[in-house]
């Protein structure tokens, strides 16, 4: 048996063709030709442009010099070690002078999250591909960790480009909607009444009564809904929950996603609606809702037409839909409530509910099915179902979606068979990853995907609501509602500060865009450094360009396209 004589530390072993390493009774390289395997692997390696090369457990650094010589200028080598002893040994015995380059990094960590964070901060990120090299036997000692790194490195690159494609399609719309909504918010804040209406006992903000003209405000995260909350999606399970909702209507705050509001009305009136969609097709979900004046929690990128169609007061929150400098500046200016980008309005509604409710209160949900049986894909009365029946004719089945490409069968709740799509199943997986360990989130839906979360039937849900109401009755939160005057004064001060900051921000953007436009049209001249700074801070002008993954360009064609965008935005701001 091989034994180490250095208290379990790595040992340098001389062989006939170089050095090997003995560690924990195992050789990390061949005892006969230590460099043969890794050098042959690198010799046959083809490295495309914009590639991240992960070198796992390099130890003595064999092959790194050869790898660096054939590395494209747009690619980066990230050497990774998990074991602390091996990392110290490597730094003592590995000659990295040939790798002293900006396109080479060497880190030691046993956290996958730290590796991913490092990848995202590399100067050449985003990459188009990830290649992985096992550089020594040290990989086998921590195989699970390195396998996870390999999996998630591919995932983070794939996710970036998926998001990039989404940004190319919708980024321009996001920007235009954001500035239109900011203008509506600024006008509303400037004309805000000195005193707001009395607050309903269950909610700490005054947004319940409908009005002829919608008011806009900004959520900051300090607001609280002081009763249990029920999030309602537009899935088929909503139909089976109607009796429960009607029976227990006074026991919870009812938060509906955009398409679910019409399915509830007229007999069930939601307390608020969540809207995140930026595209025109969501407008159909709000046809006929204006007379109800239901308050809306809306993403700042949401469709302004849909907000007008609903007719209720609007509370804006933000989602960081991309890593953009203009969003960083905007968020630093306004200090809004920022939610993670989850893609699905239902998931966003749950996240919003968790943020707005007191920490001890449950968040129930139904209608978030992410699947359906062979019948309707949505709850009866929702806009997709209305559209379906409006387009029915004698030669066209209303259930064509069940035979569409990409459909798949799954086994869902109660062992039933359901249809789903790759997008919907990805939302279900995201739910499991985000909320399955949260005991406050309780699924009372009876259909759809099995979400691996907290489940409750009707009887259990009613008991949960009763316990929450009893706790609320004895909670100090109720006593805090008596301090209305102080809260009103604080709200008024906050409104004035937000209004001033927002008006200053919009005026600054208009001035900067005018300066850029005049320079591009030859009406005035600014230095190249000033122009680059103005462009860098206003990446909303080009973030959706296919060639802007790494930022702006001073190419004439790029600047002409940016000029078209900024003139359109000047019309909006005008």
């Amino acid at each position: 048996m091989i034994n180490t004589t250095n208290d379990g530390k790595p040992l340098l072993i001389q062989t006939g063709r170089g050095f090997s390493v003995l560690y924990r009774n195992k050789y990390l390289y061949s005892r006969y030709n230590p460099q043969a395997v890794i050098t042959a692997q690198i010799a046959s390696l083809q490295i495309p442009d914009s590639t991240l090369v992960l070198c796992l457990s390099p130890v003595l650094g064999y092959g790194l010099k050869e790898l660096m010589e054939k590395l494209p200028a747009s690619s980066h080598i990230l050497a990774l070690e998990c074991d602390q002893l091996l990392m110290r040994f490597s730094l003592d015995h590995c000659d990295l002078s040939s790798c002293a380059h900006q396109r080479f990094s060497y880190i030691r960590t046993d956290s996958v999250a730290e590796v991913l964070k490092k990848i995202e901060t590399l100067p050449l990120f985003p990459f188009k591909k990830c290649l992985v090299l096992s550089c020594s036997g040290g990989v086998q000692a921590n195989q699970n960790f390195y396998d996870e790194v390999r999996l998630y490195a591919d995932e983070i690159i794939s996710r970036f480009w998926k998001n990039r494609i989404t940004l190319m399609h919708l980024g321009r719309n996001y920007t235009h909607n954001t500035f239109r909504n900011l203008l509506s918010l600024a006008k509303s804040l400037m004309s805000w009444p000195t005193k707001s209406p009395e607050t309903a006992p269950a909610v700490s903000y005054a947004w319940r009564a409908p009005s002829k003209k919608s008011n806009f405000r900004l959520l900051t995260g300090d607001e609280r809904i002081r009763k249990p909350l029920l999030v309602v999606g537009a899935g088929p399970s909503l139909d089976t929950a109607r009796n429960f909702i009607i029976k227990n209507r006074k026991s919870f705050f009812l938060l509906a996603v955009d398409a679910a509001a019409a399915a509830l009305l007229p007999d069930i009136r939601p307390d608020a609606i969540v809207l995140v969609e930026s595209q025109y097709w969501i407008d159909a979900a709000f046809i006929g809702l204006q007379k109800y004046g239901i308050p809306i929690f809306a993403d700042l990128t949401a469709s302004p037409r849909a907000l007008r169609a609903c007719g209720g007061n609007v509370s804006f929150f933000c989602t960081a839909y991309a890593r953009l400098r203009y969003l960083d500046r905007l968020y630093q200016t306004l200090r809004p409530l920022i939610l993670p980008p989850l893609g699905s309005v239902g998931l966003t509604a749950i996240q919003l509910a968790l943020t707005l409710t007191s920490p001890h209160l449950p968040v129930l949900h139904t209608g978030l099915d992410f699947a359906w049986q062979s019948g309707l894909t949505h709850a009866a009365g929702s806009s997709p179902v209305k559209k379906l029946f409006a387009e029915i004719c004698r030669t066209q089945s209303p259930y064509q979606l069940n035979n569409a490409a990409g459909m798949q069968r799954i086994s869902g709740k109660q062992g039933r068979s359901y249809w789903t799509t790759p997008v919907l199943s990805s939302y279900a997986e995201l739910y499991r990853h985000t909320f399955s360990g949260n005991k406050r989130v309780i699924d009372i839906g009876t259909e759809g995907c099995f979400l691996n979360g907290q489940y409750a039937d009707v009887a259990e849900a009613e008991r949960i609501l009763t316990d929450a109401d009893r706790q609320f009755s004895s909670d100090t939160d109720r006593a805090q509602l008596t301090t209305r005057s102080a809260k009103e004064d604080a709200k008024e001060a906050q409104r004035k500060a937000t209004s001033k900051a927002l008006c200053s921000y919009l005026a600054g953007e208009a001035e900067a865009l005018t300066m850029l436009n005049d320079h591009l049209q030859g009406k005035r001249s600014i230095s190249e450094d000033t122009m680059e700074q103005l462009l860098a801070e206003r990446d909303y002008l080009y973030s959706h360009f296919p060639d802007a993954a790494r930022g702006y360009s001073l190419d004439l064609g790029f600047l002409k396209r940016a000029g078209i965008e900024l003139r359109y935005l000047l019309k909006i701001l005008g």
Side-chain angles (χ1 to χ4, degrees), residues 367-552:
L368 304 182
D369 303 335
F370 308 115
W372 68 95
Q373 291 186 292
S374 57
L376 299 175
T377 60
H378 291 72
S382 62
S383 55
V385 172
K386 290 179 180 177
K387 181 177 183 293
L388 181 70
F389 282 110
E391 296 176 349
I392 287 178
C393 65
R394 289 181 295 175
T395 60
Q396 183 170 317
S397 166
Y399 306 127
Q400 293 185 57
L401 191 58
N402 293 349
N403 299 317
M407 304 295 297
Q408 57 188 18
R409 281 283 190 181
I410 61 167
S411 178
K413 293 176 181 175
Q414 302 181 26
R416 297 173 183 168
S417 178
Y418 290 90
W419 288 103
T420 190
T421 67
V423 172
L424 291 178
S425 61
S426 70
Y427 290 153
E429 184 60 34
L430 184 57
Y431 176 101
R432 298 182 190 105
H433 177 75
T434 308
F435 302 117
S436 61
N438 193 322
K439 295 184 179 181
R440 292 179 59 200
V441 180
I442 302 169
D443 184 4
I444 64 170
T446 57
E447 299 184 30
C449 290
F450 187 73
L451 299 175
N452 295 342
Q454 303 288 323
Y455 286 90
D457 56 19
V458 171
E460 178 66 13
E462 290 180 345
R463 185 192 65 78
I464 291 171
L465 292 174
T466 301
D467 291 346
D469 182 68
R470 186 182 300 114
Q471 186 175 2
F472 172 76
S473 299
S474 59
D475 201 284
T476 55
D477 283 346
R478 184 175 293 277
Q480 293 175 3
L481 293 176
T482 59
T483 61
R484 190 179 310 279
S485 178
K487 291 183 178 181
E488 290 294 343
D489 291 342
K491 288 179 183 178
E492 178 64 14
Q494 184 181 35
R495 179 199 65 79
K496 289 181 179 179
T498 302
S499 177
K500 182 178 179 180
L502 178 54
C503 290
S504 176
Y505 173 84
L506 292 173
E509 292 306 293
E511 181 180 358
L513 291 177
T514 301
M515 188 183 303
L516 266 175
N517 186 50
D518 290 348
H519 174 74
L520 293 176
Q521 292 185 336
K523 297 179 181 179
R524 80 163 86 172
S525 179
I526 59 177
S527 67
E528 186 172 314
D529 289 343
T530 301
M531 183 183 69
E532 289 191 25
Q533 182 181 357
L534 292 175
L535 282 173
E537 292 182 351
R538 284 151 192 89
D539 41 9
Y540 53 75
L541 293 173
Y542 50 81
S543 61
H544 56 285
F545 290 179
D547 52 347
R550 291 190 175 92
Y552 66 89

Side-chain angles (χ1 to χ4, degrees), residues 186-238:
K187 293 175 183 177
S188 182
L189 289 175
M190 292 173 68
S191 60
W192 195 289
T194 304
K195 292 293 182 180
S196 58
E198 286 300 304
T199 307
V203 188
S204 65
Y205 53 86
W207 291 81
R208 303 299 301 275
S211 60
K212 293 182 179 180
K213 181 180 179 181
S214 298
N215 289 317
F216 297 81
R217 73 158 190 166
L218 195 67
L219 286 175
T220 62
D222 296 329
E223 300 82 0
R224 283 294 175 267
I225 297 173
R226 305 185 187 279
K227 63 189 322 187
L229 196 146
L230 175 62
V231 174
V232 172
S237 65
L238 173 58

Side-chain angles (χ1 to χ4, degrees), residues 81 107-109 115 131 171 215 220 265 310 369 475 531 569:
E81 180 56 68
I107 63 171
R108 206 295 306 176
T109 181
V115 177
L131 294 179
N215 289 317
T220 62
L265 294 167
C310 191
D369 303 335
D475 201 284
M531 183 183 69
L569 282 168

